[in-house]
Structures are given as structure tokens and as C-alpha cells.
Amino acid sequence: MARINLLPWRVERRKQREREFYMQLGLAAVAAVLVVMLLAFWMGLRMDNQSNRNAYLQGEIKQLNARITKIKNLERVRSQLLARKKIIEQLQSNRSQMVHLFDSLVKTIPDSARLTRMRQSGNNMRLYGVAQSNSSVADYMRRIAASPWLGNVDLGKTQNHLGTGRMPVGFDLHIRLNKPSDAAEMDEAAGG
């Protein structure tokens, strides 16, 4: 016997397709929610990872800043120590300068001249004295210019005293003192 379907098969088929469509739509919605949740979880992991990296970098930056501060303090102390060392070296090199200066003053002064007063300011010295004649002052200036410890002599003034004493000419000399290293080089040049 043949079966004849008198029911509206198209309506039934349409309902079945609608059910399938809603099932697929539901599955797609569930899949979309799962994808969104997975993306949110993944992004959260990435954000946590980045936060951990940032915290690590901040810690390293703090350590480096502390080291930089220590280095700056050490550099400041180093520069202070170098400045002290330089001062000590200058004092050490100038230690014998006075001895050589007075020795040079004694060796360069002619018998026809006498020093009455001297004043030193840094590497500049001013000599006051009396001499028998202007030629004695000129001779003294030549001797000073030839000295390795004294140099750059300039005549400030000469003055004739009206008295008939042994030393009628007063003089004023400006001298630039040489540094010991310059004088040592001059000694080597004169000796060699």
C-alpha cells in the first residue's frame, strides 16, 4: 500500500529548517561567546605578562638609578680628589721654587746694586733697590733675563737721588717668575 502524505510537507520542512537555522545560530552565538572569552583571556594574559615585564623594568630602572647616583657621587669625589692631587702636585713642584728664587736673586745681583724691598704676588715679583748707575740696573736686568728661574723683566722706573751717596739710582723692576718645570727644561736646554 502506498502511503500518501496529506500533511503540508512544506510547512513541516520549513519548521525543520527554522529549527536547524536556530540551532546553527545558537551554536554560532556560543562559538562567538567562546571566541570572545578566549580572546579576553588571552588579552588578559598578555596584559599580565606586559605588567610583569613593566614591573621588572621599573625595578631594574630603580636599581640603575641608584647605581647612576652612586657613580655621580663617585665622579664628584674623584674630581675633588683630582683637584686635591693637582693642588698637592703644584705645592710639591713649587716647594723648591723659593729656594731657587732666592738663590737666583743672590747670583744675579751685581756688586754695584742692592735690593731694598721685594713683593711677590703669585708668579709676579716686584723688586725695589738702589744702584750706582743706570748701567748697573741694565746689567742686573740682563742677568735676571738670563736666569732660568726669573724671566720677563720690565723696568718700572729709575730715579736719581739727589744725594752723593754710593748708590744714587733707585729702581723698580717687575719680574715674571718661571715655574720649576719651565726652569728644569731651561736647565736641560742650557746644559745640553
Side-chain angles (χ1 to χ4, degrees):
M1 155 152 31
R3 289 186 81 178
I4 299 173
N5 187 1
L6 297 176
L7 292 174
W9 60 275
R10 289 187 181 142
V11 174
E12 206 51 55
R13 199 161 142 212
R14 191 175 295 144
K15 284 182 183 181
Q16 173 131 7
R17 281 189 181 172
E18 278 182 22
R19 269 187 260 138
E20 287 175 1
F21 174 75
Y22 286 124
M23 281 179 58
Q24 288 175 358
L25 188 63
L27 286 174
V30 169
V33 168
L34 284 175
V35 167
V36 168
M37 287 175 60
L38 283 174
L39 282 174
F41 179 72
W42 181 68
M43 289 301 285
L45 286 177
R46 287 192 64 192
M47 288 174 61
D48 289 342
N49 185 28
Q50 189 63 43
S51 296
N52 289 339
R53 288 174 63 190
N54 287 347
Y56 173 75
L57 290 175
Q58 290 296 330
E60 291 296 316
I61 288 171
K62 285 180 184 177
Q63 289 178 359
L64 288 177
N65 284 338
R67 288 180 186 170
I68 288 172
T69 303
K70 286 180 184 178
I71 288 171
K72 285 182 181 179
N73 289 338
L74 288 174
E75 286 178 352
R76 185 172 36 83
V77 168
R78 179 181 173 264
S79 65
Q80 290 172 350
L81 289 175
L82 287 175
R84 287 180 185 174
K85 180 184 173 214
K86 185 176 179 182
I87 290 170
I88 290 170
E89 286 174 351
Q90 286 176 344
L91 290 174
Q92 186 70 19
S93 67
N94 292 339
R95 184 171 70 172
S96 64
Q97 184 178 15
M98 281 298 131
V99 174
H100 289 290
L101 173 67
F102 284 114
D103 186 50
S104 295
L105 285 175
V106 169
K107 287 181 181 177
T108 56
I109 194 160
D111 291 335
S112 58
R114 300 284 178 265
L115 292 178
T116 57
R117 177 169 54 126
M118 67 177 141
R119 183 173 49 202
Q120 181 181 358
S121 173
N123 284 338
N124 296 319
M125 180 174 262
R126 201 159 180 179
L127 300 176
Y128 302 92
V130 290
Q132 287 179 352
S133 66
N134 285 333
S135 63
S136 297
V137 175
D139 181 39
Y140 188 33
M141 289 175 66
R142 279 190 295 276
R143 289 182 180 188
I144 288 174
S147 172
W149 290 89
L150 306 170
N152 296 340
V153 63
D154 291 323
L155 180 63
K157 66 177 180 176
T158 59
Q159 183 178 13
N160 286 334
H161 297 291
L162 297 176
T164 58
R166 283 191 58 216
M167 308 277 183
V169 178
F171 62 88
D172 174 11
L173 299 177
H174 301 276
I175 300 172
R176 175 104 176 132
L177 303 177
N178 292 327
K179 295 180 182 177
S181 61
D182 296 343
E185 290 172 7
M186 288 179 175
D187 287 339
E188 289 175 12

